[in-house]
Amino acid sequence: MKRLIKPLAICLALIVLPAHAAIDERCEPILNATEIAFSELFPPGPVTQVIDSLCFRAYTVGNITRYAAINASKTSFLDVGVYVLGPPFGDTPTYIGTTDQVQAILDNLTGGEGGNTGESICDNSNSEVSGIKTFQDGDTITITTEGKCVKLPKNNSLCNIKAEKQEDGTFKPTDIHMLTTTNLVSYSITGLDIPGFLNPLDPFAKSFANSTCLIHVPERTFNYKSHTDVCFDISELAQGIPGIPDIVTMQLIADSSSVIVDDCSKTGADTILNLVTGLTE
C-alpha cells in the first residue's frame, strides 16, 4: 500500500498547482547539488520534470522511489520552497526550507559544485591557455573568447568533459551516457573571399554543428545547455590558398544541449567517445 501512496501524494501536489506558473530558476542547481551532497539517497541520472510551477526528479533505488522537488508558486497544498517525498521522509511531501535556505546548506556541503557558482562543468584547461573561457550559471554554460580571435582548439568540442578519477588514479566507469547536440546559429569568415566560388573553409565552419555522445561521464554530470560566441584565428588552415591575406578569422555562434541518455549507441550521434578508454566508435 505504501508504494501506492508515494506517487499518489506527488500527484495530489501536482493537480492543485496554478496553470502556466514559472518554475524557480534555481531548480537545476539545487537538484544537482542535492545529488552531490546526498548521492546515496538521490543518485545522479534522473531527468528534471516540470509541471507548472513544480520542478522535480524521481529517484528509484531498488524498490524505493523518492522525489526531490522545488515549488515556485504557493498553492492550497504546497508552500513555496524545497520538498522531498518517499522513504525515509514519509509518504507526503516534506518541506525542507526556502530555496535560499536550502541553497546555502548545499553550497556549504558541496563547495558550490551544484552550479550556483561560476565554476563550469567543462574542463577547458587546455583551451583556456589560448583564450577560450567558460562560465556557468545554473544549468547554462557560456563559452566565449571575450571578443578576441584566439588559437583553434584541438577539436570541435568547446566543452570538454573528463572521466572521473578513482582513488587508484584510474578512470571510473560510471555507465552514464550523455548526448550533446550542437546547432550552428551563424558564422562568418573574414579575410578569405574568392568571387564566384564557395568559400573553401565553409565545410570546416559547418563541422561545428554536430552531435557527440560520451560514455562514462562523471556522476556529478547533469543536463545542461550552452551558448557559444567565439572568434578563431584560422590563418593556418588557409595557408596555400592563393591571394589570401596574412590573417583569416572565423566568428562562430552556436547553441548546444546536453542530456543524459540510456545508450549512446541508440542516439545516432556523429561521434561516440568512451571517456575511460579514450576510444571513439
Side-chain angles (χ1 to χ4, degrees):
M1 180 66 181
K2 285 188 175 181
R3 294 182 63 185
L4 294 175
I5 293 175
K6 290 176 290 190
L8 176 61
I10 198 72
C11 288
L12 287 173
L14 299 181
I15 60 175
V16 294
L17 290 168
H20 309 300
I23 66 169
D24 194 294
E25 62 182 6
R26 284 171 292 184
C27 171
E28 293 289 342
I30 287 177
L31 293 178
N32 295 335
T34 299
E35 293 177 356
I36 296 171
F38 304 101
S39 58
E40 292 185 1
L41 293 173
F42 305 99
V47 298
T48 301
Q49 303 178 60
V50 175
I51 299 181
D52 294 315
S53 66
L54 188 78
C55 68
F56 65 96
R57 293 179 189 172
Y59 300 85
T60 299
V61 181
N63 294 324
I64 296 174
T65 298
R66 57 180 64 91
Y67 300 84
I70 296 96
N71 183 39
S73 182
K74 181 177 175 61
T75 71
S76 59
F77 191 75
L78 294 177
D79 287 325
V80 175
V82 181
Y83 291 83
V84 290
L85 171 70
F89 310 105
D91 295 323
T92 57
T94 299
Y95 180 74
I96 302 299
T98 67
T99 51
D100 286 340
Q101 292 168 337
V102 174
Q103 184 75 72
I105 294 170
L106 292 171
D107 283 350
N108 184 55
L109 292 173
T110 67
E113 282 193 65
N116 193 48
T117 68
E119 183 182 357
S120 172
I121 192 175
C122 303
D123 181 355
N124 280 333
S125 53
N126 291 330
S127 295
E128 289 196 3
V129 173
S130 63
I132 299 175
K133 306 292 183 181
T134 62
F135 303 94
Q136 184 169 318
D137 181 12
D139 65 342
T140 301
I141 294 173
T142 299
I143 303 170
T144 178
T145 55
E146 299 180 321
K148 303 174 183 177
C149 293
V150 304
K151 182 180 178 181
L152 274 171
K154 293 181 179 180
N155 56 55
N156 288 4
S157 176
L158 299 179
C159 179
N160 299 310
I161 297 177
K162 288 187 176 181
E164 182 179 344
K165 281 193 175 183
Q166 305 182 95
E167 291 184 1
D168 61 2
T170 60
F171 292 125
K172 183 178 182 179
T174 62
D175 291 321
I176 301 174
H177 298 211
M178 169 165 274
L179 175 67
T180 297
T181 304
T182 301
N183 296 310
L184 192 58
V185 176
S186 65
Y187 73 91
S188 61
I189 298 174
T190 303
L192 179 59
D193 185 14
I194 306 174
F197 293 90
L198 294 175
N199 194 312
L201 294 180
D202 277 354
F204 171 73
K206 292 177 180 179
S207 70
F208 281 84
N210 57 55
S211 58
T212 301
C213 201
L214 304 178
I215 302 174
H216 301 309
V217 297
E219 292 178 348
R220 70 181 181 89
T221 306
F222 51 87
N223 294 348
Y224 66 92
K225 54 195 174 190
S226 60
H227 176 71
T228 300
D229 188 348
V230 295
C231 183
F232 295 126
D233 184 335
I234 58 173
S235 303
E236 291 185 7
L237 292 179
Q239 287 182 355
I241 301 176
I244 65 165
D246 293 334
I247 298 178
V248 178
T249 62
M250 178 181 69
Q251 183 76 35
L252 183 77
I253 298 176
D255 289 322
S256 303
S257 62
S258 299
V259 295
I260 301 295
V261 296
D262 292 330
D263 187 349
C264 279
S265 66
K266 297 179 180 180
T267 61
D270 298 324
T271 303
I272 297 177
L273 173 63
N274 188 314
L275 294 180
V276 170
T277 65
L279 300 177
T280 57
E281 302 177 11

